Amino acid sequence: MPKPSSTTPSDQPQPAPVGLLLPRTRVPRTPRTRVPHWHGLSPGHLAYLIRRYTDFGDVVLDLDAHPAAVAATAYLDRVPARLFNSRHGLHVRLLTSAPERRTRHAMRRPGPRVDLILATLPHGAQGLPRDGIATAMSTWRPLLRPGGFLLVGLTASQPQSGEVSHRATVIAAARAAGFFYHQHIPAVLVPLPEHEPRTAPEHPDEANDGRRLLAGRHLPTFRDLVVLRTTTTT
């Protein structure tokens, strides 16, 4: 609906921040220790995201304890952590074994409170039930410090036509749990061709060579990443 002319600039709707991660086109010349991809994202892109949303000495919790997340966190001089469930409830444990690697920023924090949580949805082969997502968000929210970030990677296939998108479902559940939407990042998983053969017109006498669609749908080439925050930000 149109707003009156007296509306202050701060009340005007702001464009939703959207980022884009593209795969590398060149392979490094020097051989490196093999680190697995984080649900399709290269270790370099994952390290970029961790560096973007944390500072030196911050605590990073990957709920799956993925090797790529632990390696990138330690490489960036952040503190990797694990989530454990005991009879007293959930608690976060730092993974730094060497005392010299423990920064004062992490040691003086009670709890410790986490600066960045990395999560993927759904877990296993289950779908994306709204009740389950809402419960998960309510569980993760108290683990984060004020101003901390939650980065959710959506690993489920795209919904069918007419269904609510998984991204919208996750954002709605996060807002109900007290999170604030921060950013959406489509991460491209494979190099995109300069010309897409599936968009070319198909002639009546042309054989179906499988270039255009896979079972009536386009091939998935990106992963949705949703970034949420515990407090509002400009």
Side-chain angles (χ1 to χ4, degrees), residues 209-222:
D209 54 6
R211 294 180 303 171
R212 292 175 175 80
L213 297 175
L214 178 64
R217 299 179 65 86
H218 287 283
L219 296 174
T221 58
F222 69 95

Side-chain angles (χ1 to χ4, degrees), residues 21 24 46-47 103 107-108 124 132 152 157 159 174 194 205 209:
L21 288 179
R24 295 179 180 269
L46 180 62
T103 63
M107 291 179 62
R108 68 170 179 262
V152 180
S157 58
E194 183 177 357
D205 56 347
D209 54 6

Side-chain angles (χ1 to χ4, degrees), residues 29-138:
R29 295 181 180 179
T30 56
R32 299 181 180 179
T33 304
R34 180 64 177 171
V35 178
H37 282 42
W38 186 81
H39 306 287
L41 264 70
S42 67
H45 277 156
L46 180 62
Y48 169 81
L49 290 174
I50 294 175
R51 182 176 62 86
R52 173 64 179 81
Y53 294 109
T54 59
D55 294 319
F56 175 80
D58 281 356
V59 177
V60 179
L61 169 63
D62 183 85
L63 297 177
D64 297 330
H66 197 280
V70 176
T73 301
Y75 175 78
L76 295 170
D77 287 325
R78 276 65 167 168
V79 182
R82 286 284 304 275
L83 185 64
F84 292 90
N85 190 5
S86 65
R87 61 179 181 178
H88 301 292
L90 295 175
H91 66 279
V92 177
R93 182 184 302 172
L94 303 183
L95 295 183
T96 46
S97 56
E100 61 273 11
R101 295 286 294 179
R102 299 181 183 177
T103 63
R104 296 179 180 179
H105 180 63
M107 291 179 62
R108 68 170 179 262
R109 190 179 309 162
R113 302 293 290 276
V114 180
D115 298 275
L116 172 64
I117 293 180
L118 302 175
T120 55
L121 291 172
H123 294 293
Q126 63 180 356
L128 283 172
R130 297 183 181 181
D131 294 341
I133 297 177
T135 301
M137 293 292 178
S138 300

Side-chain angles (χ1 to χ4, degrees), residues 142-160:
L143 301 176
L144 285 165
R145 66 165 178 82
F149 290 95
L150 169 65
L151 191 150
V152 180
L154 300 180
T155 60
S157 58
Q158 297 297 321
Q160 299 295 328

